[in-house]
Amino acid sequence: MAIEIHKEPLYRRYYSNPCSWAFLYIIVVWFLIIFLPLIIAYNSSNFWLKENVTYEQPTISYTYQLISEIYGVNNLSGELINIYYSSSPIINQLYNSNLRIPTISSIESDDNKDGKIERLEINYLLPLSLNEQISS
């Protein structure tokens, strides 16, 4: 019984003249494999993107819920006033002493009729006494 001690692979190498069709075939294949995809990607102008402009329009909806805190000053006494309003009755109970009920109207506009709202106009009319002035 014989035991294998060492193994060497047998390599066969084939040589060709640089002016042969086989050599030209290898050069063309290497060009197609390596350089052609790089040339196509570079010429497609997306290889190195420096600036891209996209236009997106969000989908918005008005849920008719709001909370407002308005700061002002009383012109007669000079003291600061806080006026609160919320569409939630629970929050309105918390600020009952400084609560004012405004008149609120809202309009959702779809200018280009694409089904998405472009503009939301909210009109907020707050009743004030003559000696009150709103600062923010």
Side-chain angles (χ1 to χ4, degrees):
M1 175 168 171
I3 297 175
E4 182 179 328
I5 297 173
H6 180 69
K7 178 167 59 171
E8 290 183 3
L10 176 63
Y11 291 108
R12 290 188 182 175
R13 295 184 182 190
Y14 298 97
Y15 294 97
S16 173
N17 190 357
C19 294
S20 68
W21 287 106
F23 187 76
L24 181 64
Y25 177 76
I26 293 297
I27 296 297
V28 169
V29 167
W30 274 101
F31 177 77
L32 291 175
I33 290 174
I34 294 176
F35 293 111
L36 187 63
L38 291 175
I39 291 171
I40 291 172
Y42 186 75
N43 287 331
S44 69
S45 72
N46 289 329
F47 188 71
W48 193 279
L49 190 61
K50 294 185 180 185
E51 184 176 323
N52 192 9
V53 177
T54 59
Y55 296 101
E56 294 182 5
Q57 184 176 356
T59 303
I60 61 169
S61 64
Y62 181 47
T63 60
Y64 303 99
Q65 297 177 353
L66 67 95
I67 184 169
S68 64
E69 181 177 9
I70 299 170
Y71 297 106
V73 64
N74 190 337
N75 290 334
L76 295 178
S77 64
E79 67 180 27
L80 298 176
I81 57 170
N82 292 336
I83 302 170
Y84 297 98
Y85 174 73
S86 173
S87 58
S88 170
I90 298 170
I91 297 175
N92 286 339
Q93 288 175 1
L94 292 174
Y95 298 107
N96 197 13
S97 61
N98 297 330
L99 180 66
R100 299 265 178 95
I101 308 297
T103 303
I104 301 170
S105 63
S106 64
I107 300 171
E108 296 176 346
S109 299
D110 183 11
D111 296 333
N112 59 0
K113 308 292 186 224
D114 63 348
K116 291 189 176 183
I117 298 170
E118 275 81 38
R119 193 169 25 142
L120 176 63
E121 295 179 19
I122 299 175
N123 294 322
Y124 189 93
L125 299 174
L126 183 67
L128 295 174
S129 63
L130 294 175
N131 57 355
E132 292 177 338
Q133 182 179 358
I134 299 299
S135 59
S136 62

